Structure formats: structure tokens, C-alpha cells
């Protein structure tokens, strides 16, 4: 599973490293809001899930209405706030492509109305 963290109109993907939220422009996800500390909170992968850590912020980090003081497991759909700023955690399925060696090409034709003016060629590429 892959995760995206959103606040305001900004978003980042949670990769192998931590995602730090705060007012500082050096934060992974900078949030320009008065109740957010310069370095407020951090998301990190924990096993198959995600943990949220408050970084000794002034106005607190909240999960489902409860202020957290220790690393806390979070999931998509939880109500997350840093100060009064709402933050969203989205779970995204990982898309993977399998190289089958198959190629599909659509070519325009003038006399084939069944394909909306296109012919489809399907073949294999041999190495």
C-alpha cells in the first residue's frame, strides 16, 4: 500500500523516509497556518501501516479528536489535525506493470467505421 499526505492544496507521497509537517519551509509538507509549529509532526511507515508522531508542538497533534503524546498508528479516514489544520492520509493501491512483450498500436483508417476510424494491430516484440 502507498500513502499520500494532504494539507491545504499540497500533498506528498510517504516513501521510505519520514514526512515532517510544519510551518518551516524546510518541512517535507510546509503548512502556513498560525496554529502549526515550525516543526509540528511527522508521519512514518511502521510495518504495513503508518505512524504519526507529535514533535513537541505547541498546539498539539490530534487523531480522531484525541491529543497524542506518543507515536500513534493512523489509517486512511482518520480525522487528523495539527493544531487546528486538518490533514488527510490517503491510501493508494500500488500500480504495477508487467512486461508481457505485447504491443498494441492503433492506426487510423478511412474505411473502418466499427473502430471509429482506427484499426488495431496486436503483436509481440521478440528480443
Amino acid at each position: 500500500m502507498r500513502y499520500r499526505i494532504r494539507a491545504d492544496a499540497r500533498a506528498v507521497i510517504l516513501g521510505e523516509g519520514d514526512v515532517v509537517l510544519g510551518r518551516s519551509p524546510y518541512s517535507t509538507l510546509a503548512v502556513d497556518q498560525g496554529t502549526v509549529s515550525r516543526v509540528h509532526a511527522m508521519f512514518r511507515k511502521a510495518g504495513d501501516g503508518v505512524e504519526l508522531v507529535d514533535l513537541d508542538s505547541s498546539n498539539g497533534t490530534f487523531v480522531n479528536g484525541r491529543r497524542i503524546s506518543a507515536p500513534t498508528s493512523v489509517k486512511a479516514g482518520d480525522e487528523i489535525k495539527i493544531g487546528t489544520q486538518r490533514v488527510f492520509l490517503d491510501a493508494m493501491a500500488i500500480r504495477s506493470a508487467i512486461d508481457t512483450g505485447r504491443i498494441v498500436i492503433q492506426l487510423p483508417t478511412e474505411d473502418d467505421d466499427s473502430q471509429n476510424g482506427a484499426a488495431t494491430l496486436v503483436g509481440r516484440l521478440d528480443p
Side-chain angles (χ1 to χ4, degrees), residues 29-108:
L29 184 57
V31 179
D32 187 22
Q33 208 267 355
T35 63
V36 175
S37 297
R38 281 186 206 97
V39 180
H40 195 108
M42 173 181 63
F43 284 91
R44 64 182 176 204
K45 286 188 176 179
D48 290 337
V50 177
E51 272 185 344
L52 178 61
V53 180
D54 182 79
L55 300 174
D56 295 322
S57 66
S58 298
N59 293 310
T61 300
F62 301 85
V63 176
N64 298 323
R66 299 180 70 159
R67 188 172 185 154
I68 66 169
S69 58
T72 302
S73 293
V74 292
K75 62 188 181 308
D78 281 346
E79 182 182 314
I80 301 167
K81 289 186 178 180
I82 57 172
T84 59
Q85 173 67 50
R86 184 84 190 265
V87 177
F88 299 91
L89 176 67
D90 303 320
M92 304 180 309
I94 296 175
R95 290 187 224 162
S96 61
I98 300 172
D99 184 8
T100 63
R102 185 171 177 228
I103 186 168
V104 177
I105 302 172
Q106 285 196 323
L107 301 171

Side-chain angles (χ1 to χ4, degrees), residues 109 111-119:
T109 63
D111 56 333
D112 189 1
D113 290 334
S114 66
Q115 295 290 320
N116 295 326

